[in-house]
Amino acid sequence: MSSPLYNQQILRLAASTPATRLSAPMASIEKRSPVCGSRVTVDVDVDRDGRVAAIGMLVRACALGQASATLMADDAVGKSPAELAAARDALTAWLAGAGAMPDWPGIDIFTPALPHSARHASIRLAFEAVTEAAAVASANAQAAA
C-alpha cells in the first residue's frame, strides 16, 4: 500500500462506502469487473421527472471501486439518466486518456490511477451501474404513468 495509487483520501472514501440497499427499488443493476472481480450493485428510485430520488448500494470491490462508489453516491441524487450517462462517458474517456477530467466532485483523487489501466474497470463500475439503473427506473416510471 505504499503506492500513491492507494492514498489516504482514497482509503478514507473506501472506508465510508455506504452499504444500504433500497427495500423495493424501482431498478437494481449489478456490474462486475472481469479483470479484478469487483462487483457493485446499485438500487435506484426516481422521481416523477426521472431524476434519481434515492440510491442504495452493495459494493464488493477493491479500495478504488469502493471509493468510486462513495463519490458516485455522494452526488447522484438529483441527476437525470442523461447527466449520469454523460458523467460515465466522461469518466471512461478521461481514464482512457481521451478526454478531460469529468465534472464530478472529488473525481480528481483517481488521477494516480490513470497509468494503471487494469484498475479503470473497478473505478467505472458504480458509474456504469447507476447510469443503467436510473435509465431503467425512469423508463419503468414513464411506462407506468
Side-chain angles (χ1 to χ4, degrees), residues 27 29-31 44 84 88 127-137:
I29 299 294
E30 179 180 277
K31 293 291 183 179
V44 168
L84 293 169
R88 176 207 56 209
F127 285 87
E128 292 170 353
V130 75
T131 299
E132 190 173 332
V136 169

Side-chain angles (χ1 to χ4, degrees), residues 29-45:
I29 299 294
E30 179 180 277
K31 293 291 183 179
R32 182 182 168 279
S33 168
V35 175
C36 65
S38 290
R39 287 186 294 160
V40 174
T41 304
V42 175
D43 303 324
V44 168
D45 287 338

